[in-house]
Amino acid sequence: MRWNNFNKLKIQPIWFFVLILIVFFSSTSEYFFEFSNFKNIFIQTSTIGLIALGLTFVMINGNIDLSVGSMVALSASITIGLQGYGLGFSIFAALLAGVLFGALNGIIVWKTGVDSFIVTLGAMIGIRGVVFIYTEEQSFYALDFAFSDFGSSSLLGIPSLVLIFLFFSWLMHFILSRTIHGRNMLAIGGSRTASLNAGMKIGRHLMINFMICGFLAALAGITLSSQMGASTPNLGRDFELWAITAVVLGGTHLKGGSGSIIGTLGGVIAIGVLRNGMNLLHIPSFYVLVILGVILISVIYFDSLMKNKMELSQ
């Protein structure tokens, strides 16, 4: 009954967890509840956040994309590696690479029927190999100061990277909640058989979502390299795990059929607040991994429990 009320009010439970974290860390650290600290949290989570937005679409369809972390490294390397041809060209090339690799993942999953976990696991390894070949295992450094300055720039006191993340959060929320593509996405994730019988083009939807996911992962690599003023071949390692955790914490089911951008936003902020708060308390970072692992398993367990109760009550 309570779970139904959450759905009706469109309030994701993850936001109550965020509130609890804010109250806890505000009472235990005098530096936590400051505007500058919240600004830092949003900057630090913007990269994972962009990736999580794309993954939300893919996971609502009942798929997954493990190649996003490698895509971050590739797009960052392309952006800085091709800066000699002009910043506009290098950014375009990086985004195009993200879209093309996303399309490749989607086509393989669509045409072969191989599980997306296997396909994107191979893509994750392959793209990382491409990065090492392209960079010759070397780091690249931004020579165009306008690019590296953008990573630390602000508009009306709000960091540019945060504005980019919030804009794409709004855009993805709009697509999911107000367009035919968004409604079909939820329907396909809920039942592919029923969607196929209803005449939906399932393969096309899958491929578009993989392309969106690749685009946002590439964009995350560009913004991160702008923030760092450099790129390294190992950039983005484990980012896919952080992003998947944020999406699941936000209420998106691993088997697809339900999920929201508002929930994903809550999951991203929850991880950011937890990492920042524990850092302020001088707690070693690996304890964050332990806590997030326990929380993730608990969320999946209680979500499964609630779904079973709802099915039995119907």
Side-chain angles (χ1 to χ4, degrees), residues 2 29 32 36 39 47 50 69-71 86 99 111 130 177-178 199 224 238 273:
R2 290 178 181 175
S29 172
F32 180 81
S36 59
K39 195 162 69 173
T47 302
L50 285 171
S70 298
M71 196 61 241
V99 172
K111 295 296 183 182
V130 170
S177 60
R178 301 294 178 85
L224 183 60
D238 298 333
V273 169

PDB file of all heavy atoms in Angstrom, residues 2 29 32 36 39 47 50 69-71 86 99 111 130 177-178 199 224 238 273:
ATOM      1  N   ARG A   2       1.865   1.278   0.882  1.00  0.00           N
ATOM      2  CA  ARG A   2       2.764   2.433   0.933  1.00  0.00           C
ATOM      3  C   ARG A   2       3.532   2.584  -0.365  1.00  0.00           C
ATOM      4  O   ARG A   2       3.769   3.668  -0.834  1.00  0.00           O
ATOM      5  CB  ARG A   2       3.728   2.299   2.115  1.00  0.00           C
ATOM      6  CG  ARG A   2       3.047   2.468   3.460  1.00  0.00           C
ATOM      7  CD  ARG A   2       4.037   2.284   4.585  1.00  0.00           C
ATOM      8  NE  ARG A   2       3.385   2.432   5.870  1.00  0.00           N
ATOM      9  CZ  ARG A   2       3.991   2.236   7.022  1.00  0.00           C
ATOM     10  NH1 ARG A   2       5.253   1.868   7.043  1.00  0.00           N
ATOM     11  NH2 ARG A   2       3.344   2.395   8.152  1.00  0.00           N
ATOM     12  N   SER A  29      29.336  16.908  10.593  1.00  0.00           N
ATOM     13  CA  SER A  29      30.448  17.688  10.039  1.00  0.00           C
ATOM     14  C   SER A  29      30.022  19.148   9.882  1.00  0.00           C
ATOM     15  O   SER A  29      28.989  19.439   9.262  1.00  0.00           O
ATOM     16  CB  SER A  29      30.861  17.127   8.669  1.00  0.00           C
ATOM     17  OG  SER A  29      31.793  17.985   8.047  1.00  0.00           O
ATOM     18  N   PHE A  32      29.823  20.318   6.075  1.00  0.00           N
ATOM     19  CA  PHE A  32      28.983  19.680   5.055  1.00  0.00           C
ATOM     20  C   PHE A  32      27.891  20.614   4.526  1.00  0.00           C
ATOM     21  O   PHE A  32      27.739  20.771   3.324  1.00  0.00           O
ATOM     22  CB  PHE A  32      28.333  18.407   5.631  1.00  0.00           C
ATOM     23  CG  PHE A  32      27.461  17.698   4.636  1.00  0.00           C
ATOM     24  CD1 PHE A  32      28.021  16.860   3.681  1.00  0.00           C
ATOM     25  CD2 PHE A  32      26.079  17.892   4.625  1.00  0.00           C
ATOM     26  CE1 PHE A  32      27.223  16.224   2.738  1.00  0.00           C
ATOM     27  CE2 PHE A  32      25.275  17.266   3.685  1.00  0.00           C
ATOM     28  CZ  PHE A  32      25.854  16.422   2.743  1.00  0.00           C
ATOM     29  N   SER A  36      29.135  25.944  -0.916  1.00  0.00           N
ATOM     30  CA  SER A  36      30.304  25.538  -1.711  1.00  0.00           C
ATOM     31  C   SER A  36      30.469  24.021  -1.726  1.00  0.00           C
ATOM     32  O   SER A  36      30.891  23.435  -2.730  1.00  0.00           O
ATOM     33  CB  SER A  36      31.574  26.192  -1.153  1.00  0.00           C
ATOM     34  OG  SER A  36      31.766  25.817   0.194  1.00  0.00           O
ATOM     35  N   LYS A  39      27.941  22.536  -4.050  1.00  0.00           N
ATOM     36  CA  LYS A  39      28.407  22.787  -5.415  1.00  0.00           C
ATOM     37  C   LYS A  39      29.451  21.742  -5.815  1.00  0.00           C
ATOM     38  O   LYS A  39      29.426  21.224  -6.934  1.00  0.00           O
ATOM     39  CB  LYS A  39      28.997  24.203  -5.497  1.00  0.00           C
ATOM     40  CG  LYS A  39      29.168  24.704  -6.902  1.00  0.00           C
ATOM     41  CD  LYS A  39      29.335  26.216  -6.939  1.00  0.00           C
ATOM     42  CE  LYS A  39      30.645  26.663  -6.353  1.00  0.00           C
ATOM     43  NZ  LYS A  39      30.888  28.118  -6.538  1.00  0.00           N
ATOM     44  N   THR A  47      29.708  13.797 -13.932  1.00  0.00           N
ATOM     45  CA  THR A  47      30.197  12.806 -14.906  1.00  0.00           C
ATOM     46  C   THR A  47      29.429  11.495 -14.803  1.00  0.00           C
ATOM     47  O   THR A  47      28.894  10.982 -15.793  1.00  0.00           O
ATOM     48  CB  THR A  47      31.702  12.539 -14.686  1.00  0.00           C
ATOM     49  OG1 THR A  47      32.423  13.763 -14.804  1.00  0.00           O
ATOM     50  CG2 THR A  47      32.223  11.544 -15.698  1.00  0.00           C
ATOM     51  N   LEU A  50      25.742  11.952 -15.993  1.00  0.00           N
ATOM     52  CA  LEU A  50      25.471  11.900 -17.436  1.00  0.00           C
ATOM     53  C   LEU A  50      25.416  10.449 -17.926  1.00  0.00           C
ATOM     54  O   LEU A  50      24.545  10.077 -18.721  1.00  0.00           O
ATOM     55  CB  LEU A  50      26.554  12.673 -18.198  1.00  0.00           C
ATOM     56  CG  LEU A  50      26.477  14.205 -18.133  1.00  0.00           C
ATOM     57  CD1 LEU A  50      27.721  14.827 -18.748  1.00  0.00           C
ATOM     58  CD2 LEU A  50      25.231  14.718 -18.856  1.00  0.00           C
ATOM     59  N   GLY A  69      32.133   3.134 -19.407  1.00  0.00           N
ATOM     60  CA  GLY A  69      33.376   3.608 -18.781  1.00  0.00           C
ATOM     61  C   GLY A  69      34.500   3.700 -19.798  1.00  0.00           C
ATOM     62  O   GLY A  69      35.265   4.681 -19.830  1.00  0.00           O
ATOM     63  N   SER A  70      34.605   2.688 -20.660  1.00  0.00           N
ATOM     64  CA  SER A  70      35.628   2.713 -21.720  1.00  0.00           C
ATOM     65  C   SER A  70      35.336   3.825 -22.718  1.00  0.00           C
ATOM     66  O   SER A  70      36.261   4.442 -23.266  1.00  0.00           O
ATOM     67  CB  SER A  70      35.662   1.370 -22.444  1.00  0.00           C
ATOM     68  OG  SER A  70      36.006   0.335 -21.555  1.00  0.00           O
ATOM     69  N   MET A  71      34.034   4.074 -22.957  1.00  0.00           N
ATOM     70  CA  MET A  71      33.648   5.149 -23.887  1.00  0.00           C
ATOM     71  C   MET A  71      34.079   6.508 -23.351  1.00  0.00           C
ATOM     72  O   MET A  71      34.452   7.403 -24.127  1.00  0.00           O
ATOM     73  CB  MET A  71      32.128   5.114 -24.084  1.00  0.00           C
ATOM     74  CG  MET A  71      31.638   5.882 -25.282  1.00  0.00           C
ATOM     75  SD  MET A  71      32.306   5.235 -26.814  1.00  0.00           S
ATOM     76  CE  MET A  71      33.179   6.666 -27.399  1.00  0.00           C
ATOM     77  N   GLY A  86      41.225  21.606 -34.336  1.00  0.00           N
ATOM     78  CA  GLY A  86      40.172  22.532 -33.906  1.00  0.00           C
ATOM     79  C   GLY A  86      39.305  21.874 -32.838  1.00  0.00           C
ATOM     80  O   GLY A  86      38.989  20.688 -32.930  1.00  0.00           O
ATOM     81  N   VAL A  99      28.202   7.796 -30.376  1.00  0.00           N
ATOM     82  CA  VAL A  99      26.949   7.403 -31.050  1.00  0.00           C
ATOM     83  C   VAL A  99      27.165   6.142 -31.888  1.00  0.00           C
ATOM     84  O   VAL A  99      26.341   5.221 -31.873  1.00  0.00           O
ATOM     85  CB  VAL A  99      26.441   8.561 -31.931  1.00  0.00           C
ATOM     86  CG1 VAL A  99      25.258   8.108 -32.770  1.00  0.00           C
ATOM     87  CG2 VAL A  99      26.036   9.748 -31.063  1.00  0.00           C
ATOM     88  N   LYS A 111      20.105  -7.673 -33.715  1.00  0.00           N
ATOM     89  CA  LYS A 111      20.125  -8.636 -34.814  1.00  0.00           C
ATOM     90  C   LYS A 111      20.526 -10.054 -34.404  1.00  0.00           C
ATOM     91  O   LYS A 111      20.109 -11.022 -35.033  1.00  0.00           O
ATOM     92  CB  LYS A 111      21.075  -8.144 -35.919  1.00  0.00           C
ATOM     93  CG  LYS A 111      20.622  -6.851 -36.603  1.00  0.00           C
ATOM     94  CD  LYS A 111      19.305  -7.054 -37.347  1.00  0.00           C
ATOM     95  CE  LYS A 111      18.894  -5.802 -38.092  1.00  0.00           C
ATOM     96  NZ  LYS A 111      17.590  -5.978 -38.780  1.00  0.00           N
ATOM     97  N   VAL A 130      41.205  -0.204 -27.823  1.00  0.00           N
ATOM     98  CA  VAL A 130      41.339   0.851 -28.840  1.00  0.00           C
ATOM     99  C   VAL A 130      41.976   2.103 -28.233  1.00  0.00           C
ATOM    100  O   VAL A 130      42.829   2.752 -28.849  1.00  0.00           O
ATOM    101  CB  VAL A 130      39.962   1.189 -29.451  1.00  0.00           C
ATOM    102  CG1 VAL A 130      40.046   2.445 -30.324  1.00  0.00           C
ATOM    103  CG2 VAL A 130      39.436   0.018 -30.272  1.00  0.00           C
ATOM    104  N   SER A 177       8.964  10.913 -20.220  1.00  0.00           N
ATOM    105  CA  SER A 177       7.619  11.109 -19.666  1.00  0.00           C
ATOM    106  C   SER A 177       6.625  11.750 -20.629  1.00  0.00           C
ATOM    107  O   SER A 177       5.425  11.643 -20.429  1.00  0.00           O
ATOM    108  CB  SER A 177       7.703  11.952 -18.385  1.00  0.00           C
ATOM    109  OG  SER A 177       8.272  13.222 -18.673  1.00  0.00           O
ATOM    110  N   ARG A 178       7.140  12.400 -21.691  1.00  0.00           N
ATOM    111  CA  ARG A 178       6.217  13.164 -22.538  1.00  0.00           C
ATOM    112  C   ARG A 178       6.230  12.763 -24.018  1.00  0.00           C
ATOM    113  O   ARG A 178       5.554  13.426 -24.812  1.00  0.00           O
ATOM    114  CB  ARG A 178       6.569  14.666 -22.442  1.00  0.00           C
ATOM    115  CG  ARG A 178       6.492  15.250 -21.046  1.00  0.00           C
ATOM    116  CD  ARG A 178       5.068  15.239 -20.536  1.00  0.00           C
ATOM    117  NE  ARG A 178       4.981  15.745 -19.181  1.00  0.00           N
ATOM    118  CZ  ARG A 178       4.883  17.033 -18.868  1.00  0.00           C
ATOM    119  NH1 ARG A 178       4.865  17.937 -19.823  1.00  0.00           N
ATOM    120  NH2 ARG A 178       4.799  17.402 -17.603  1.00  0.00           N
ATOM    121  N   GLY A 199       2.634  -3.996 -32.485  1.00  0.00           N
ATOM    122  CA  GLY A 199       3.211  -3.393 -33.689  1.00  0.00           C
ATOM    123  C   GLY A 199       4.390  -2.475 -33.437  1.00  0.00           C
ATOM    124  O   GLY A 199       4.799  -1.725 -34.336  1.00  0.00           O
ATOM    125  N   LEU A 224      34.665  15.598 -18.451  1.00  0.00           N
ATOM    126  CA  LEU A 224      35.670  15.196 -17.466  1.00  0.00           C
ATOM    127  C   LEU A 224      37.076  15.610 -17.902  1.00  0.00           C
ATOM    128  O   LEU A 224      37.875  16.092 -17.090  1.00  0.00           O
ATOM    129  CB  LEU A 224      35.617  13.681 -17.245  1.00  0.00           C
ATOM    130  CG  LEU A 224      36.555  13.118 -16.179  1.00  0.00           C
ATOM    131  CD1 LEU A 224      36.264  13.736 -14.811  1.00  0.00           C
ATOM    132  CD2 LEU A 224      36.430  11.592 -16.097  1.00  0.00           C
ATOM    133  N   ASP A 238      35.626   1.578 -13.840  1.00  0.00           N
ATOM    134  CA  ASP A 238      34.590   1.336 -12.823  1.00  0.00           C
ATOM    135  C   ASP A 238      33.442   2.347 -12.875  1.00  0.00           C
ATOM    136  O   ASP A 238      32.532   2.274 -12.050  1.00  0.00           O
ATOM    137  CB  ASP A 238      35.173   1.330 -11.398  1.00  0.00           C
ATOM    138  CG  ASP A 238      36.187   0.221 -11.202  1.00  0.00           C
ATOM    139  OD1 ASP A 238      36.086  -0.801 -11.910  1.00  0.00           O
ATOM    140  OD2 ASP A 238      37.085   0.360 -10.345  1.00  0.00           O
ATOM    141  N   VAL A 273      26.563  12.443  -2.204  1.00  0.00           N
ATOM    142  CA  VAL A 273      26.483  12.908  -0.814  1.00  0.00           C
ATOM    143  C   VAL A 273      27.205  11.934   0.112  1.00  0.00           C
ATOM    144  O   VAL A 273      27.950  12.347   1.017  1.00  0.00           O
ATOM    145  CB  VAL A 273      25.005  13.066  -0.389  1.00  0.00           C
ATOM    146  CG1 VAL A 273      24.894  13.273   1.121  1.00  0.00           C
ATOM    147  CG2 VAL A 273      24.353  14.236  -1.124  1.00  0.00           C
TER     148      VAL A 273
END
